Amino acid sequence: MMMMKKMMILFALVVSLTANASHLLGGHIQAVQRNTSDTVDLVVTLYSDPQGIGSPTTLYLNEYKISNGVYVSTGNVTATQNNTYTWQGFNISVYTTTVTRTAGNYRWVYTNCCRGMLSNASSAMNSNFTIGLDYRKTAIGVPNSAPILINQLPMKWVVNDTAQSIIYALDIDGDSVVVEEDDALNQYSTTGTFTPLSPFSQLNTYGMYYVDGSGLVIWGPTTTGVYGTGYKVSEYRNGTLIGVNRIQQVYSVVQGSTPSIPWPFIQVNHDLLNGDSTEIYIHSLNATNTELFIPEVDVTKTSDSTWVLNNLQVGTYRAVARVTNGSSNNDYQFTLIVNSTIGIEEFELPITCKVYDWYGRYKGNSLEGLKGFHIIRYSNGKVEKVFIHD
């Protein structure tokens, strides 16, 4: 009789662990302040393996706040699932909640067991999945939202081919944003540190891998499989670190072909009409879909390859074009510059730069009088692609 009771208890434990095996693979937390108030909207996005159980309808974020220089637990926050969909073979679940918080430094952490299977972490399915966000809530009247991740989703790569992905983190308050490589995270410890998976091999073990501070990720994987990794998106205000988003990412490496946008990869169909709109045409190869992201511009997609940019204002805007097919994605970034000829200050370049047209012909060290797409080469070696319209 005693043996039967022990077996029943063991069986109950196994069922409990299995019921929580969501096979989580990636995700992130975002915080957006409502105007300059004490109200903050939190959004949690999770990627999971379809072989796991369905995602829960609610989840709990552990909340911490800095007191005397250390993060102290203040309880938890409940977020409710309000959207689900699939993307390139992964399940995507989005959760939202709204909190009211006074000024201070907060940390929200989500941890759950268990991860899905990963080719670069043999113990992943027996390990936790963890994401976290450090956020500075400013005083009323002073704006601060965490950098917003634009279309951050899982990605497919083609084996033995090099492609790129853009982690587009837009800071609506104008703070500086730096993206850097991080590990796949296992758990958050009571000492206030994030612990990586172990054993874990970073993606450079499986082919050339590069992460730029702008969010550009380049990888040439040499082995098929499902790989996990992480990134830190850091937010700086006046040179001071005020927030870090620890995001988790999953990449699937498959056989296939990579879509691309030939060089020069964007053309303009017509000039600005009364200075307020233009049409952009993007020619892609081996792609089934193309998307254009310019978050601060009113963009309307008019066909599979054309977009109208409406109500343009003088300024410089970062843009990303993403081409996809059944095998993989490829991201391309460029800069849209809108100048004025009616006395509004124009975009100025440092005198040490050099400007070339798309055919590599040197045009001087100024954008004055130029139109269309050009290449700027700075003295530090940085190269920038820009679109100029008067």
Side-chain angles (χ1 to χ4, degrees):
M1 185 67 176
M2 181 66 67
M3 178 65 70
M4 182 174 293
K5 287 183 178 180
K6 289 183 178 179
M7 290 178 62
M8 291 176 64
I9 292 172
L10 177 61
F11 176 75
L13 287 173
V14 171
V15 170
S16 176
L17 289 172
T18 303
N20 287 298
S22 299
H23 290 194
L24 292 170
L25 293 167
H28 53 268
I29 305 169
Q30 303 196 74
V32 180
Q33 180 187 24
R34 291 191 182 180
N35 298 317
T36 59
S37 68
D38 276 342
T39 303
V40 178
D41 293 315
L42 298 178
V43 181
V44 182
T45 304
L46 299 177
Y47 324 142
S48 61
D49 183 344
Q51 296 180 7
I53 66 170
S55 299
T57 56
T58 59
L59 58 76
Y60 302 95
L61 299 174
N62 294 320
E63 182 179 272
Y64 306 84
K65 185 179 182 181
I66 287 184
S67 177
N68 297 321
V70 296
Y71 280 103
V72 177
S73 175
T74 58
N76 59 58
V77 175
T78 303
T80 303
Q81 185 184 87
N82 68 3
N83 191 21
T84 59
Y85 59 98
T86 60
W87 172 257
Q88 295 197 340
F90 297 99
N91 293 334
I92 313 297
S93 300
V94 181
Y95 301 80
T96 58
T97 190
T98 301
V99 298
T100 300
R101 296 292 183 269
T102 56
N105 293 294
Y106 294 86
R107 171 174 286 175
W108 291 291
V109 178
Y110 175 70
T111 298
N112 198 355
C113 178
C114 297
R115 281 182 171 267
M117 184 178 297
L118 296 176
S119 302
N120 58 332
S122 58
S123 63
M125 294 192 70
N126 298 317
S127 302
N128 289 326
F129 167 89
T130 297
I131 53 178
L133 173 66
D134 295 350
Y135 169 71
R136 176 171 295 179
K137 172 64 186 69
T138 49
I140 291 179
V142 180
N144 186 48
S145 293
I148 298 172
L149 297 168
I150 306 298
N151 202 41
Q152 177 68 19
L153 292 168
M155 180 173 171
K156 284 186 177 181
W157 304 72
V158 172
V159 66
N160 295 320
D161 202 356
T162 300
Q164 58 189 36
S165 177
I166 308 294
I167 300 175
Y168 191 165
L170 172 69
D171 194 284
I172 59 177
D173 310 307
D175 298 324
S176 300
V177 178
V178 177
V179 178
E180 58 186 312
E181 173 188 310
D182 197 14
D183 296 323
L185 300 178
N186 178 22
Q187 59 188 4
Y188 181 70
S189 71
T190 55
T191 61
T193 59
F194 290 87
T195 306
L197 284 177
S198 181
F200 166 74
S201 297
Q202 190 52 269
L203 300 188
N204 56 10
T205 307
Y206 307 92
M208 187 280 293
Y209 178 59
Y210 171 77
V211 181
D212 185 81
S214 68
L216 172 65
V217 177
I218 301 176
W219 192 29
T222 57
T223 308
T224 58
V226 177
Y227 298 85
T229 190
Y231 300 98
K232 288 195 293 187
V233 180
S234 300
E235 177 186 14
Y236 292 86
R237 178 167 293 183
N238 299 322
T240 300
L241 180 66
I242 63 171
V244 179
N245 197 344
R246 293 171 173 84
I247 69 179
Q248 296 289 278
Q249 179 61 291
V250 58
Y251 294 139
S252 178
V253 181
V254 299
Q255 299 285 345
S257 58
T258 302
S260 63
I261 298 176
W263 183 274
F265 58 81
I266 295 180
Q267 300 174 1
V268 180
N269 276 11
H270 62 255
D271 292 336
L272 284 174
L273 178 62
N274 299 324
D276 63 356
S277 67
T278 191
E279 185 177 59
I280 284 184
Y281 169 75
I282 300 178
H283 171 59
S284 61
L285 295 177
N286 194 33
T288 57
N289 187 53
T290 304
E291 295 296 336
L292 178 64
F293 305 99
I294 316 179
E296 298 169 292
V297 174
D298 180 3
V299 179
T300 302
K301 188 172 185 177
T302 54
S303 75
D304 290 339
S305 56
T306 56
W307 291 259
V308 173
L309 312 184
N310 302 299
N311 303 316
L312 288 170
Q313 304 296 315
V314 173
T316 302
Y317 306 93
R318 185 185 181 194
V320 172
R322 170 171 291 176
V323 287
T324 64
N325 62 19
S327 300
S328 68
N329 311 328
N330 220 346
D331 290 352
Y332 297 80
Q333 61 181 346
F334 64 96
T335 302
L336 170 69
I337 298 177
V338 180
N339 284 338
S340 170
T341 58
I342 56 174
I344 300 178
E345 182 179 357
E346 298 188 356
F347 179 80
E348 295 183 359
L349 291 175
I351 194 169
T352 54
C353 78
K354 295 181 179 180
V355 180
Y356 299 83
D357 65 14
W358 283 114
Y359 303 99
R361 294 175 297 201
Y362 178 61
K363 309 299 289 186
N365 58 8
S366 171
L367 298 178
E368 185 175 355
L370 299 180
K371 294 183 180 181
F373 286 91
H374 288 77
I375 302 167
I376 303 174
R377 296 185 184 276
Y378 296 91
S379 58
N380 62 2
K382 178 183 176 182
V383 177
E384 190 172 28
K385 299 172 282 291
V386 300
F387 167 63
I388 312 160
H389 242 304
D390 291 332

